Amino acid sequence: MMAFLKKYLLPILMVFLAYYYYSANEEFRPEMLQGKKVIVTGASKGIGREMAYHLAKMGAHVMVTARSKEDLQKVVSRCLALGAASAHYIAGSMEDMTFAEKFVAEAGKIMGGLDMLILNHVHYSPLSFFRDDINKVRKHMEINFHSFVVLSVAALPMLKQSQGSIAVISSVAGKVAYPLIAPYSASKFALDGFFSSIREELLVTRANVSVTLCVLGLIDTDAALKATSGIYSAHAAPKEECALEIIKGTALRQAEMYYDGSIWGQFLIINPGRKIMEFLATRYFNWDKVISN
Ligand SMILES: NC(=O)c1ccc[n+]([C@@H]2O[C@H](COP(=O)([O-])OP(=O)(O)OC[C@H]3O[C@@H](n4cnc5c(N)ncnc54)[C@H](OP(=O)(O)O)[C@@H]3O)[C@@H](O)[C@H]2O)c1
Ligand SMILES: *[C@@H]1O[C@H](CO)[C@@H](O)[C@H](O)[C@H]1NC(C)=O
């Protein structure tokens, strides 16, 4: 037992301590986003719209999308007023995978490349017991998970070239189980599995593209307040600060960021067992063989 502790646990603990120590050393500067070409999906309202406004103030090129054209038009005008290097929108539904793919290509053409892809759009449905609505599960998986995969596949060549970043907006409900949101929770857990795996692959293939999984608690967007009203009474954190924290974590290329307006959640959400098992598993892969194939 002691030998095991000495051999594995202590070195691992030291690695993590070092990681947290060094990652805290780099500081975010708004200039990091100046002139960067950024896509924000689901940016017609809520957290996505706030991210577009922060990016505009930092002088980024902003490309927003969602379904509602009128709202996007307003977001673009406001972004230009706030100082965006450029601001455009393309409207469409992320239920349509062909649109998702074409959107990224078109965005890349308009901005002349891509530095940051912020995957934020979401399909919500009212909190309720899950009974037999298989189509509801399918719809959540399509919009909240499958389209995120399609968008990132389409964007990866540009992101590899720019050594850029992907932000994947998830939720505490994508890390921890809550009742009444089974389809939503499934789609958010799926994001963790897929994008955490991809992060490892990018690392071993030396593609310098960062993947930041953003784990959010309850945020005061109209949609979330309406969905939880009278049913779930946790404190909702401000969307403006939330949006800024997502941009910071992504620009600093963190593997994960956590925001719920408090300081406690981020300590509870860390899953040391998972991290240790992921670390131990790295020894068993024969990368030379996989990469040469
Ligand atoms: N708010 C919270 O409490 C909370 C908590 C944890 C995680 N999150 C995550 O944070 C992100 C933003 O949430 P939010 O509360 O800001 O949501 P929101 O205010 O409802 O905004 C959602 C955005 O997604 C777009 N959208 C919805 N369906 C779409 C579709 N089929 N195709 C394309 N765009 C679509 C909406 O625009 P249109 O309707 O115009 O298409 C809107 O711009 C989500 O990923 C969510 O899961 C939020
Ligand atoms: C990866 O890209 C970032 C951002 O462009 C850069 O700061 C960093 O030095 C790069 N790392 C490597 C190993 O190339």
Side-chain angles (χ1 to χ4, degrees), residues 50-67:
E50 299 305 324
M51 287 194 276
Y53 292 164
H54 282 301
L55 290 163
K57 283 183 212 157
M58 295 168 191
H61 295 272
V62 185
M63 169 62 76
V64 293
T65 184
R67 289 165 305 177

Side-chain angles (χ1 to χ4, degrees), residues 66-233:
R67 289 165 305 177
S68 40
K69 225 173 179 170
E70 295 74 29
D71 291 343
L72 289 174
Q73 253 156 8
K74 286 183 206 151
V75 172
V76 163
S77 321
R78 180 104 187 96
C79 281
L80 291 171
L82 288 171
S86 74
H88 296 89
Y89 76 88
I90 300 173
S93 175
M94 291 299 171
E95 234 177 317
D96 175 359
M97 299 307 142
T98 314
F99 167 73
E101 204 181 322
K102 284 191 179 145
F103 161 70
V104 173
E106 195 58 32
K109 242 184 257 165
I110 293 172
M111 294 192 289
L114 183 66
D115 295 293
M116 191 180 281
L117 174 66
I118 303 183
L119 301 171
N120 165 77
H121 63 275
V122 68
H123 174 69
Y124 282 136
S125 57
L127 273 65
S128 68
F129 283 101
F130 180 73
R131 295 207 167 83
D132 55 4
D133 198 346
I134 308 297
N135 279 327
K136 190 164 151 185
V137 178
R138 192 171 286 130
K139 191 163 180 179
H140 276 81
M141 292 304 287
E142 282 294 297
I143 300 171
N144 299 354
F145 172 66
H146 194 182
S147 74
F148 278 38
V149 176
V150 172
L151 289 160
S152 45
V153 167
L156 256 178
M158 286 190 281
L159 292 174
K160 281 182 179 166
Q161 194 157 21
S162 64
Q163 307 202 321
S165 308
I166 304 178
V168 179
I169 313 306
S170 186
S171 166
V172 175
K175 288 279 188 187
V176 171
Y178 290 97
L180 305 180
I181 51 171
Y184 175 80
S185 182
S187 66
K188 292 300 194 185
F189 266 80
L191 291 174
D192 189 356
F194 184 83
F195 284 98
S196 302
S197 180
I198 292 299
R199 186 190 301 114
E200 300 294 315
E201 294 184 9
L202 289 166
L203 205 67
V204 294
T205 56
R206 297 207 170 78
N208 190 8
V209 177
S210 63
V211 176
T212 302
L213 185 74
C214 305
V215 182
L216 311 181
L218 186 63
I219 310 299
D220 66 358
T221 64
D222 294 343
L225 293 180
K226 190 171 154 237
T228 53
S229 167
I231 302 175
Y232 183 75
S233 57

Side-chain angles (χ1 to χ4, degrees), residues 8-22 279:
Y8 295 115
L9 233 46
L10 289 179
I12 289 166
L13 270 176
M14 277 158 71
V15 166
F16 281 117
L17 283 176
Y19 172 75
Y20 283 112
Y21 179 74
Y22 287 113
F279 178 78

